[in-house]
Amino acid sequence: MDRPRRGRAARHQPARQPRPPRPRRRADPRPARGAAARPGPARARPAPLDERPALPGPAARRLASLLAESGSELLPQWLGRARDRGFALPPALVPSLLDAARQRSDLRGDAVALAGPLGRWLAGMNPDWRYVLRLPSADEDAHPEARAGADAVWQEGLFAERVTHLTRLRRRDPAAGLALLRSTWRTERAEDRLLFLDALQEGLGAGDEEFLEEALADRAKNVRATAAELLSTLPGSALSERMAARARLAVAVGPEGGLVVEPPAACDTGMQRDGIAPVSPTGRGDRAFWLGEVVAATPLSCWTELLGAPERALALPTAPEWADELHEAWARAAVRQHAADWARALLALHQGRGTSGTQSRLLSVLPSAERAAWTARFVLEQGLAEAFQLLVTCPPPWSEELAEAVLDALARAAAAGAYPWSHSGVLGVAERSLPFAAAARADALAEASSSAWAEVFTRLATTLRTRSAMLAELA
């Protein structure tokens, strides 16, 4: 039997044709009878709907322009106004806004609120925007997932984010904020405990007294001092009553009607437990320091009952060696207790003596209109050299009286040949705070000034008009 031979003869045999592919059966998407369905690939849920009104077109174009600038000073004001108006951003601008807020933490609160549900949806996909998920949401009560994100802030967030979360929670529900702080208090670092404690100023009430009394025994002295300061502002607290008893021993009306001052001779254990350091950390003498701490923590109503109205109390003759200590302590008490009558009397006492941090703090206690009027008089009499701290306490837009006082002072500085950069702080505040109508006066000053000041006033006028247009677009 002849068999086919390998080799040359075999190579001449026709090549085997590839078999046609078998027709494939299409997969039946239905599970087999009795078999469990297999899970399919995960698919992202669509972004939640944003039901807020859409941002007007001109405002959207303005936002795109501000985001394109690097570090625009007008962007925070734009975001704040747009947030107040409750607009929803065009989706295409949300990624750029989240990028900008990633670079500038001061923008994050407003940016996250404006980005809304789309911003949170995007943040779940981009690690660069995870900060969005750590910030509390205004709609967390309505959306459980947002509530979960807010709760995670306290456990996983950065320190500043935790402080912000605690402050907002205190504003909404003081008892819940205190319970949250209690839950981790013993494991927090001393420096963190100090600032968390400071956040209790928001919504401070009688319900906080027990916790603050416990904090008086904290191992960190700064925490003890802050707890004591908070208790001193709590009406009717046990600490404020203890301080009042010490104050009555130290300050009394003498037989001739003047004030007799006898500061504590020692800092006993009770004073130390109430947050008073046994050795003065300020460079002042120990007794002067102890006197100041006691008086600053005493309710001002104690002095009103003992000495009468603030103006009368401040007019009483006082031993010269203790008068400054006593007035400074009363000023601290007025700020802590937000006592406008005492702040007003103390500012009148300091009128015309230049400025200091104490004056700006006292000014912050007064209503806005009164604050602006007092500052305008100060600028008129003292100029701008010491006015910056006072001007920043006056909310925008400034009153016409204050605006005129500041522009007049700038005009005098320009006429005297002062360097514009020496007033850069005041000019920055003026750009943010002057009313829009001041642009015309800035134009006139530019025409009458030398080149350097003309440029300054022209820029000031341009900024005011830009602000005006910007805010009108958001009306």
Side-chain angles (χ1 to χ4, degrees):
M1 178 179 180
D2 296 336
R3 296 181 178 177
R5 298 176 58 186
R6 296 179 181 272
R8 187 175 181 182
R11 289 197 293 269
H12 287 285
Q13 289 182 358
R16 181 177 294 178
Q17 296 296 319
R19 291 188 300 179
R22 294 178 179 178
R24 294 183 177 179
R25 297 179 60 187
R26 296 184 61 184
D28 189 345
R30 296 173 299 179
R33 183 173 299 177
R38 293 182 179 178
R43 299 180 62 183
R45 292 179 302 170
L49 290 176
D50 194 335
E51 298 177 349
R52 295 175 294 180
L55 188 69
R61 289 190 288 276
R62 177 77 66 181
L63 175 60
S65 173
L66 293 174
L67 290 172
E69 297 177 23
S70 178
S72 169
E73 291 299 324
L74 294 177
L75 184 57
Q77 194 170 16
W78 190 98
L79 294 177
R81 178 61 67 91
R83 180 183 182 178
D84 291 343
R85 299 284 294 143
F87 287 122
L89 302 185
L93 292 179
V94 172
S96 298
L97 178 60
L98 296 182
D99 278 339
R102 177 172 171 257
Q103 302 295 329
R104 292 178 58 178
S105 60
D106 62 312
L107 302 179
R108 290 183 182 177
D110 289 333
V112 170
L114 282 165
L118 176 59
R120 291 187 175 276
W121 184 81
L122 290 171
M125 303 180 184
N126 187 339
D128 288 345
W129 299 332
R130 288 291 172 85
Y131 70 88
V132 175
L133 303 177
R134 294 195 295 263
L135 289 177
S137 167
D139 57 353
E140 61 191 33
D141 291 331
H143 300 284
E145 65 276 15
R147 165 69 76 177
D151 292 342
V153 172
W154 189 250
Q155 303 299 331
E156 304 169 9
L158 302 177
F159 175 69
E161 295 166 348
R162 299 181 72 205
V163 172
T164 300
H165 176 61
L166 177 61
T167 303
R168 290 187 176 187
L169 184 56
R170 286 281 298 182
R171 195 172 300 158
R172 188 175 67 245
D173 186 347
L178 179 62
L180 184 67
L181 182 57
R182 273 186 178 278
S183 68
T184 59
W185 178 254
R186 295 184 183 281
T187 62
E188 304 289 356
R189 300 181 305 169
E191 56 267 37
D192 294 351
R193 291 200 303 277
L194 175 63
L195 292 182
F196 288 146
L197 203 59
D198 202 46
L200 294 189
Q201 291 185 66
E202 196 71 49
L204 186 68
D208 301 314
E209 184 173 5
E210 180 183 350
F211 175 74
L212 292 173
E213 281 283 344
E214 293 171 5
L216 289 176
D218 195 277
R219 56 186 180 276
K221 65 178 182 181
N222 287 340
V223 173
R224 295 195 300 270
T226 301
E229 184 172 331
L230 288 172
L231 284 167
S232 72
T233 65
L234 200 57
S237 71
L239 181 137
S240 65
E241 294 300 323
R242 295 194 294 269
M243 288 295 190
R246 295 174 183 126
R248 292 190 191 96
L249 293 176
V251 181
V253 180
E256 298 181 0
L259 291 181
V260 177
V261 182
E262 186 64 32
C267 187
D268 57 33
T269 54
M271 291 170 62
Q272 292 181 45
R273 184 187 179 280
D274 284 344
I276 300 178
V279 177
S280 169
T282 62
R284 294 177 292 170
D286 288 342
R287 295 188 69 196
F289 171 72
W290 298 331
L291 173 68
E293 294 298 291
V294 167
V295 174
T298 297
L300 287 165
S301 58
C302 169
W303 303 112
T304 306
E305 294 170 4
L306 182 66
L307 309 174
E311 292 79 4
R312 183 179 183 280
L314 291 170
L316 290 174
T318 307
E321 64 269 31
W322 302 117
D324 288 346
E325 298 292 343
L326 192 57
H327 292 169
E328 173 66 21
W330 276 334
R332 289 163 59 194
V335 175
R336 285 184 190 180
Q337 299 170 36
H338 298 279
D341 54 346
W342 278 87
R344 195 173 292 119
L346 286 158
L347 282 168
L349 191 68
H350 290 87
Q351 186 86 36
R353 297 186 185 179
T355 189
S356 67
T358 300
Q359 280 180 296
S360 62
R361 290 193 294 275
L362 286 170
L363 205 57
S364 68
V365 177
L366 300 182
S368 298
E370 191 174 352
R371 207 181 303 171
W374 197 93
T375 304
R377 289 195 299 274
F378 180 92
V379 171
L380 191 63
E381 296 169 1
Q382 308 287 328
L384 294 172
E386 303 290 340
F388 177 76
Q389 286 184 300
L390 304 177
L391 290 171
V392 296
T393 69
C394 301
W398 287 343
S399 66
E400 183 178 348
E401 179 186 14
L402 179 56
E404 284 298 313
V406 170
L407 289 173
D408 285 347
L410 287 172
R412 290 196 297 272
Y419 292 109
W421 57 262
S422 64
H423 295 286
S424 57
V426 170
L427 286 166
V429 181
E431 287 183 351
R432 298 191 297 271
S433 306
L434 280 172
F436 306 140
R441 175 80 192 284
D443 284 335
L445 291 174
E447 292 180 3
S449 300
S450 62
S451 58
W453 276 98
E455 183 178 343
V456 167
F457 287 126
T458 299
R459 186 172 64 245
L460 179 59
T462 302
T463 302
L464 293 177
R465 292 194 173 94
T466 302
R467 277 180 49 219
S468 175
M470 182 182 82
L471 298 181
E473 292 161 359
L474 290 167

